[in-house]
Amino acid sequence: AGLIADPYGFDAGAFRIAPREAEQMDPQQRLLLELVWEALEDAGLPPSTLAGQPVGVFVGASSVDAYTRIVGDASGIDTHFMTGNTASIIANRISYIYDLRGPSLTIDTACSSSLVALDAAVRALARGEIDTAVVAGVNILGAPQAFYGFSRAGMLSPTGLCRPFAAAADGYVRAEGGAVLVLSRLDAAKAAGRAPRVMVGPTGVNSDGRTVGLSLPSAEAQFRLLERVYGEAGIDPNDLAFVEAHGTGTRVGDPAEAEAIGRALGQKRAAPLPVGSVKSNIGHLEPASGVAGLVKAILAIEHRLLPATLHLDAINPDIPFDALNLVPARGPVTLPPGPLTAGVSS
């Protein structure tokens, strides 16, 4: 697994949380409290200026590992157990500690959770419900049960590497971590004298509906979503610098996603569309994977360089990259000057 060094490390005093309460808190809550502080710091927003304001919190999360570990020992459950281990509180804890008065939602749509959270935040901003939103994704691997299940389903890589789009792809590697973004409406940011690092364009979500199996994807449903989002926004596929794909390194998921991206975008371009996946670098953060890909896309735009997707010694023969007019980023891709637009798929 891709593990962070100390998921249980936490400066409880900085957030006025008693040590006994912190012990009963899901480490996902603790990690996000610290990441929100860093994100606000990076955005130049003192937390005191947001207190009492209609700031929304939208978190993608699905792990209940902390609950699983504690619930087997009734003697270890105290008064802080429920608020410490309820999924809704992952978002609500942020709103409570920072005194944020906008909508506060933990969204669980499995591996797409954090980008669905982003979509919800963008819509709330567009409706004028809020001026600022905290968007996050988090994943901590704190118990073994999910490893058993995914392994027995044949989803995890027995060789311990995520190999997106590769012939040797044999499953994914579970990983933990989190990321936080601060979104504002452009008019509000300009009024406050804040220059955005990037602009979030149109977003969209859907469901695959009935497929051959509950955990299996639909290339057609993904294609229709991409076609609708890009079509309604009037984005010319030729203007895309790259697409950061979900790209888990599975033999079923990668071909389906590549087909959808190729049909909706690649085949409508003059030049092949670069695609990559951050999972080859850091593993699959599951509910937080979408926002991890978004962070990679932001950094690629800022540095004018799309990093290589690793472990691509040989291309998956089940993906007709030439026919789809896609090109996997087997090495660093220098991005052109001028405004850049990138897509992120989850």
Side-chain angles (χ1 to χ4, degrees):
L3 305 175
I4 61 178
D6 185 12
Y8 290 91
F10 180 61
D11 189 352
F15 298 97
R16 300 180 182 178
I17 295 173
R20 182 176 175 181
E21 182 174 9
E23 286 179 3
Q24 293 274 308
M25 285 169 57
D26 184 338
Q28 294 179 125
Q29 295 185 24
R30 299 185 282 189
L31 178 61
L32 283 186
L33 287 177
E34 296 182 334
L35 288 175
V36 167
W37 185 279
E38 294 184 18
L40 293 175
E41 194 171 53
D42 183 67
L45 284 170
S48 58
T49 64
L50 300 182
Q53 301 303 309
V55 176
V57 177
F58 303 84
V59 177
S62 60
S63 170
V64 292
D65 283 4
Y67 175 92
T68 304
R69 287 181 59 133
I70 298 173
V71 77
D73 178 14
S75 65
I77 296 174
D78 72 10
T79 56
H80 303 295
F81 172 74
M82 291 311 299
T83 53
N85 295 278
T86 302
S88 62
I89 305 298
I90 298 175
N92 298 164
R93 181 80 68 174
I94 296 168
S95 301
Y96 169 75
I97 292 294
Y98 289 94
D99 192 20
L100 309 178
R101 307 294 178 89
S104 186
L105 307 174
T106 302
I107 294 173
D108 179 6
T109 59
C111 299
S112 61
S113 297
S114 59
L115 283 196
V116 175
L118 174 75
D119 177 78
V122 167
R123 293 177 188 278
L125 288 161
R127 289 192 299 266
E129 294 177 9
I130 52 177
D131 290 336
T132 302
V134 173
V135 177
V138 67
N139 195 42
I140 294 292
L141 308 174
Q145 284 82 356
F147 282 93
Y148 302 156
F150 286 130
S151 181
R152 288 167 182 165
M155 296 180 178
L156 300 186
S157 167
T159 53
L161 292 174
C162 283
R163 298 181 173 89
F165 312 120
D170 58 1
Y172 66 85
V173 179
R174 304 186 74 206
E176 59 186 11
V180 174
L181 301 170
V182 180
L183 274 62
S184 293
R185 283 207 324 272
L186 185 59
D187 56 353
K190 284 183 173 179
R194 298 197 310 273
R197 291 176 70 163
V198 293
M199 290 287 294
V200 178
T203 63
V205 300
N206 74 347
S207 173
D208 284 352
R210 184 184 292 275
T211 61
V212 242
L214 181 60
S215 62
L216 298 178
S218 164
E220 182 64 25
Q222 293 183 37
F223 161 72
R224 291 189 181 281
L225 175 63
L226 292 169
E227 191 175 47
R228 173 170 61 82
V229 170
Y230 284 86
E232 290 177 355
I235 294 175
D236 184 345
N238 284 293
D239 293 335
L240 282 174
F242 62 89
V243 167
E244 169 66 14
H246 192 54
T248 54
T250 56
R251 296 308 295 262
V252 176
D254 287 2
E257 184 182 19
E259 178 187 336
I261 295 172
R263 287 175 57 201
L265 304 171
Q267 292 175 344
K268 299 175 182 178
R269 289 169 50 95
L273 174 63
V275 292
S277 171
V278 75
K279 292 175 183 64
S280 74
N281 306 91
I282 63 173
H284 189 354
L285 269 65
E286 298 173 332
S289 62
V291 77
L294 181 55
V295 168
K296 173 192 167 182
I298 293 170
L299 292 172
I301 288 172
E302 290 183 343
H303 291 277
R304 303 276 160 175
L305 187 72
L306 177 64
T309 296
L310 307 181
H311 320 307
L312 260 174
D313 299 330
I315 297 299
N316 187 334
D318 296 330
I319 304 176
F321 280 103
D322 290 342
L324 295 171
N325 203 27
L326 303 177
V327 56
R330 302 176 78 168
V333 178
T334 301
L335 302 179
L340 294 175
T341 300
V344 181
S345 169
S346 189

